[in-house]
Amino acid sequence: MSESPRGPRVGIKGPLLFSAFFAVITFFAVLFFASGGTNKGLRFDLAFSGAGIAFIVCLVAAAMLSMSYKENADHLGKGSGINLRSSDRSQPRSEGDGGAEGTDTHDGGPSSR
């Protein structure tokens, strides 16, 4: 995917196939359920209307979702305190470190007796 000034370029093939898939499912569902029984004919007019509505609604929803895509800021992944990164959660923490990373309280300095 190529980068544009507004963000990553989103292809049109995915939303179109997604919408077409749900339009076909809606077509057959309405064709089957709108007939009203075996004695009556199939309702192609309602099936085409339902498929068209489903296609447009799915296409608009996919377009709105693709337009709302935005990368997170870099500072959001760097937490401290209780807002740690998920990669830091797998590391065990000792009781004496008080949440500070890289500090050693028992280094043999003047504070230890």
Side-chain angles (χ1 to χ4, degrees):
M1 296 188 139
S2 64
E3 289 286 330
S4 68
R6 293 178 46 188
R9 183 175 173 209
V10 179
I12 190 68
K13 185 188 279 187
L16 279 176
L17 289 174
F18 177 78
S19 299
F21 173 73
F22 281 107
V24 169
I25 289 177
T26 304
F27 176 81
F28 286 113
V30 171
L31 187 66
F32 179 74
F33 291 115
S35 64
T38 56
N39 293 339
K40 299 181 182 178
L42 298 174
R43 298 290 309 262
F44 283 101
D45 56 341
L46 290 177
F48 281 117
S49 299
I53 291 170
F55 181 79
I56 291 170
V57 167
C58 288
L59 190 62
V60 168
M64 296 299 281
L65 287 173
S66 68
M67 286 180 5
S68 67
Y69 172 77
K70 182 176 143 183
E71 287 286 334
N72 289 335
D74 290 335
H75 72 278
L76 292 177
K78 297 173 177 59
S80 62
I82 61 170
N83 300 320
L84 295 176
R85 294 176 297 215
S86 61
S87 61
D88 292 340
R89 292 183 187 187
S90 63
Q91 298 173 354
R93 299 175 74 182
S94 63
E95 294 178 18
D97 66 0
E101 294 179 8
T103 60
D104 189 11
T105 57
H106 302 291
D107 60 356
S111 63
S112 62
R113 295 182 187 183

